[in-house]
Amino acid sequence: MRVTPTRLPEVLLIEPVIHSDERGWFFEAFRDERWAEHGLPTNFRQDNASRSKRGVLRGLHYQLQHPQGKLISCISGSAFDVAVDIRLGSPTFGAWIGIELTWDKPQLLWIPPGFAHGFYARSDATVIQYKCTDVYVPWDDHGILWCDPELKIEWPAQAPFLSPRDRDLPTLRQARANLPHYTAAFAKDSAR
């Protein structure tokens, strides 16, 4: 597999080796020893999947007391997947990366703890699957407004379909009291 840092060096694009023939293709989505060789996490605590209609935007979500690293893949359709560095004091605080994930070009995106995550469904039945390094804790669920003017995320749509909760999330500036703090140890742990 090939592991490539993005503009946010701790957010990694993972391209598995794809074995294909006239029947279709096969790839390993996760194998602990190969991941460990690249310094990636091998201890995931929860697997999730979501199905979204075209035009749905989910995010930008994170947990503060139980931060989750997420391994994201698109197993049906296509999605514009976004990670935002929300760690106060980070050299890339407020920066974002957007990656097009599709079912027909298998790639995975590693988003470490300390980053907000969201995606926009670009197809009629977009299914996103993600492995998490910690469990979902409802009382620790936080988020940042998808269209925060300071972030300037270049979403592929101007009027997405949002949940009421996502529509009313605070901006990064308004959420400042509920953001993680960047430390050298945090950065090292984020890579694992």
Side-chain angles (χ1 to χ4, degrees):
M1 73 180 179
R2 183 168 63 179
V3 178
T4 308
T6 64
R7 279 188 309 121
L8 301 176
E10 294 145 319
V11 176
L12 304 173
L13 183 63
I14 299 155
E15 298 172 275
V17 174
I18 299 169
H19 306 278
S20 60
D21 60 26
E22 63 278 356
R23 298 169 299 159
W25 50 258
F26 167 88
F27 71 93
E28 285 182 353
F30 174 78
R31 185 169 174 177
D32 61 356
E33 64 265 15
R34 290 211 175 114
W35 281 66
E37 289 171 6
H38 290 279
L40 292 163
T42 59
N43 186 18
F44 291 97
R45 298 193 56 208
Q46 183 173 328
D47 280 5
N48 299 322
S50 71
R51 183 179 188 275
S52 302
K53 298 176 183 179
R54 183 187 303 269
V56 168
L57 191 148
R58 296 180 188 262
L60 302 159
H61 303 146
Y62 66 98
Q63 291 187 165
L64 186 60
Q65 301 300 316
H66 298 270
Q68 294 177 309
K70 295 179 180 177
L71 177 61
I72 312 292
S73 61
C74 181
I75 60 173
S76 178
S78 66
F80 181 69
D81 205 86
V82 172
V84 180
D85 187 349
I86 58 169
R87 301 167 301 167
L88 292 169
S90 166
T92 56
F93 176 75
W96 63 276
I97 184 72
I99 303 280
E100 184 79 21
L101 296 176
T102 66
W103 73 271
D104 59 346
K105 183 182 178 190
Q107 295 177 316
L108 301 104
L109 189 64
W110 165 244
I111 302 173
F115 289 74
H117 171 250
F119 67 88
Y120 175 78
R122 298 186 67 132
S123 58
D124 291 334
T126 298
V127 179
I128 298 294
Q129 185 171 22
Y130 48 106
K131 298 176 89 56
C132 300
T133 58
D134 205 344
V135 297
Y136 173 71
V137 179
W139 59 262
D140 194 27
D141 192 8
H142 299 278
I144 303 297
L145 185 64
W146 71 280
C147 61
D148 183 337
E150 288 188 39
L151 294 178
K152 299 179 181 155
I153 297 173
E154 296 170 11
W155 295 101
Q158 298 301 312
F161 182 56
L162 300 160
S163 71
R165 176 188 177 260
D166 286 352
R167 192 178 307 117
D168 295 332
L169 288 171
T171 63
L172 189 62
R173 185 181 302 246
Q174 292 167 335
R176 195 167 183 86
N178 286 317
L179 297 177
H181 290 270
Y182 174 85
T183 64
F186 194 116
K188 182 180 176 196
D189 290 343
S190 292
R192 301 227 177 268

